[in-house]
Amino acid sequence: MEQMIRTARIEALGQDPVIRDLPAPRAAPGQVLLRMGAAALNFADLLKAQGKYQEPADPPFVPGLEGAGTVLEAPAGSGLTPGMRVVVSAPGTMTQVMAVDPDAVQPIPDMMSFEQAAGFQVAYGTSHLALSGRGALAEGQVLVVLGAAGGVGLTAVEIGAAMGARVIGVARGADRLQVVRDAGAAHVIDSADCADLRGALRDLGGADVVYDPVGAEPGEAAFRALRPGGRFLSIGFAGGRPPALPLNHALVKNIAIHGFYWGGYRQLDPQALRTSMAALFDLFAAGRLHPVAGATLPLEALTEGYHLLRERRSIGKVVITL
């Protein structure tokens, strides 16, 4: 008799996920079989469900791009063994059992819970690799983080502070700003009450690096507050559109504009991903990183998680337990 598992599926573009009882998958030769403990929602999951993601999928498909669980089966030579606690970075994590290639799996520290690990990779990985790589953030420099209370923005605040930068966090509302302060921001700006973000940032001395997961008008304003030689990191467009950046300013002020898509490094430089993640796990084990879950929900409440993201009501990551 086949083992049945609970699995989320997007069955039509533009619709919320449904939960189905389906036969458990079996690992193909060379694959790892995982019992999933938790998975995280990302803004990319919203785009994918709408058919707007850069790596589209045809329905029906299982949502989720990252998660954590326990190894059930592993091929010889993979360095993985049954019972090992791991993170996985692959499409289709919103399910109780999944089969993936070993390259998508990495062990986690013993003290890291599945809920912490599930939302760790994309958010922390994006911020660490963007800031330490293309952003070339150095100790003592000024980092401006837009959407600083979001799942990705909050990690940029935390990592920037850990790297010795002076962090300015931009977010909406007193509760969110307090979370941003607690994550290490030296200054915070309430986007709901700030009519001139460019002026506010310039009053604080301008920026060496802008980390922008928002785009639209906030991205444009922060770009104009960059110092000569600054770096602008385009992470995403939660504001609804890319920022219209004046390239003449980039030329005159020697500003570098970098697009950064963490998932693209699976092909571009997979070793950079693994090296970055190992460094992040070391920081976590040393007590220097403290993942914040904006909401932890059971699989049956996955639709509520989509609404939290869509309406920007979450602080930190939305995690789904499996």
Side-chain angles (χ1 to χ4, degrees):
M1 184 175 179
E2 285 188 309
Q3 178 192 1
M4 302 298 286
I5 60 168
R6 301 283 276 168
T7 298
R9 294 209 305 182
I10 299 293
E11 298 192 337
L13 295 180
Q15 295 185 6
D16 286 332
V18 296
I19 309 301
R20 302 293 189 200
D21 290 316
L22 299 172
R26 296 181 180 180
Q31 284 191 316
V32 181
L33 193 66
L34 302 176
R35 167 72 67 181
M36 299 298 292
L41 274 177
N42 291 279
F43 189 72
D45 288 299
L46 297 184
L47 297 177
K48 200 168 183 179
Q50 297 166 359
K52 298 179 180 179
Y53 191 51
Q54 56 259 36
E55 295 178 355
D58 294 325
F61 62 85
V62 179
L65 298 170
E66 60 176 334
T70 304
V71 174
L72 294 175
E73 302 173 13
S78 65
L80 303 169
T81 56
M84 186 176 285
R85 301 169 69 255
V86 297
V87 288
V88 55
S89 172
T93 56
M94 295 290 173
T95 183
Q96 291 179 324
V97 177
M98 70 181 299
V100 295
D101 292 335
D103 288 347
V105 175
Q106 199 163 348
I108 60 175
D110 291 340
M111 70 287 294
M112 180 178 273
S113 70
F114 287 144
E115 289 78 12
Q116 289 174 316
F120 193 84
Q121 293 178 96
V122 174
Y124 279 92
T126 294
S127 294
H128 183 265
L129 199 51
L131 293 175
S132 64
R134 299 296 176 94
L137 182 65
E139 185 175 357
Q141 291 188 332
V142 177
L143 167 67
V144 170
V145 180
L146 303 181
V152 173
L154 200 58
T155 66
V157 172
E158 198 173 4
I159 291 170
M163 293 174 68
R166 180 164 66 92
V167 180
I168 303 172
V170 182
R172 182 182 296 267
D175 291 347
R176 287 168 168 257
L177 291 176
Q178 186 56 54
V179 173
V180 173
R181 287 191 190 94
D182 292 344
H187 307 277
V188 295
I189 296 174
D190 191 337
S191 57
D193 296 333
C194 182
D196 180 12
L197 179 58
R198 175 192 184 189
L201 292 174
R202 285 188 166 185
D203 288 345
L204 289 171
D208 296 296
V209 178
V210 169
Y211 183 97
D212 178 21
V214 176
E217 289 84 358
E220 295 158 21
F223 177 87
R224 292 176 181 273
L226 277 166
R227 297 169 174 171
R231 285 84 69 201
F232 184 91
L233 296 170
S234 180
I235 306 299
F237 313 119
R241 65 171 176 84
L245 303 181
L247 295 185
N248 57 320
H249 285 222
L251 186 154
V252 172
K253 295 171 70 175
N254 287 294
I255 290 171
I257 301 170
H258 296 292
F260 188 88
Y261 167 43
W262 186 82
Y265 272 75
R266 295 190 188 100
Q267 285 74 44
L268 180 65
D269 191 348
Q271 185 55 48
L273 284 183
R274 299 186 73 83
T275 300
S276 172
M277 196 54 54
L280 285 166
F281 286 147
D282 287 344
L283 286 172
F284 176 87
R288 299 181 65 187
L289 300 179
H290 305 89
V292 174
T296 301
L297 304 168
L299 183 60
E300 290 71 22
L302 178 57
T303 296
E304 181 183 341
Y306 272 69
H307 292 330
L308 287 173
L309 276 189
R310 192 177 293 125
E311 298 161 12
R312 300 187 194 177
R313 291 189 285 120
S314 65
I315 299 174
K317 294 300 285 275
V318 176
V319 174
I320 306 300
T321 57
L322 298 165

